[in-house]
Amino acid sequence: MVDLKPEKGKLLIAEPTLTGDVSFNRSVVLLAEHNKEGSVGFILNKPLEYTIGELINEIEIPFQVYNGGPVEQDNLYFIHKVPELISNSIEISDGIYWGGDFENTIDLINQKVISEEDIRFFLGYSGWSSLQLDKELMSKSWVVVENDYESGLIHKSSDAFWKEKMVELGGDYLLWSNSPENPSLN
């Protein structure tokens, strides 16, 4: 389970020793793209203090917004599980899609056709240049795991997600599941 190669649709779990990185400490990242040019993903477990309505005036429903990563944090991105409603979506895997017709998406949210169970919004994304992610994997910054949640990943608990993955990995990772976020506070 720990020796998987990075691929579109897989999850990256930040190693417990990745404590100095403000963006990725205790992160769970969905890889939306991985190829020879590089990788793109979205951090799933870092909610921000914003709702989508505070960022996009046309949206009346207060869906949570997440920190997708340190790249282009002034841009909004979204993943969803309703490609039949949102045209021009890109399939990531297992019923999870990225982007699509944003104007139509706004209308469908306001009409309550799309719920918070169907979509997740991010400010920014996580990006790696060609071979950068491979180097980080070799230096043991990440563990690659399957997305066993499929499209259910959209509404997966954000607060305890990293801890849950540590417990699932077991072994030495189990010890880290209850450690404080800042080890100096231990």
Side-chain angles (χ1 to χ4, degrees), residues 1-16:
M1 178 163 121
V2 180
D3 292 329
L4 296 176
K5 299 290 181 206
E7 293 176 9
K8 185 173 168 176
K10 298 253 191 301
L11 299 178
L12 297 176
I13 312 301
E15 283 280 356

Side-chain angles (χ1 to χ4, degrees), residues 51-61 63 65 74-80 85-89 98-111 114 119-123:
T51 64
I52 192 65
E54 292 173 291
L55 301 174
I56 307 293
N57 293 334
E58 295 84 18
I59 297 180
E60 300 159 7
I61 313 288
F63 292 0
V65 177
D74 54 345
N75 287 330
L76 190 66
Y77 300 90
F78 62 98
I79 60 172
H80 61 89
L85 299 175
I86 302 174
S87 61
N88 300 320
S89 302
W98 174 13
D101 182 336
F102 191 63
E103 294 304 317
N104 184 48
T105 302
I106 291 171
D107 292 340
L108 293 170
I109 289 171
N110 288 334
Q111 294 168 23
I114 295 177
I119 195 166
R120 183 171 285 196
F121 291 96
F122 303 94
L123 277 179

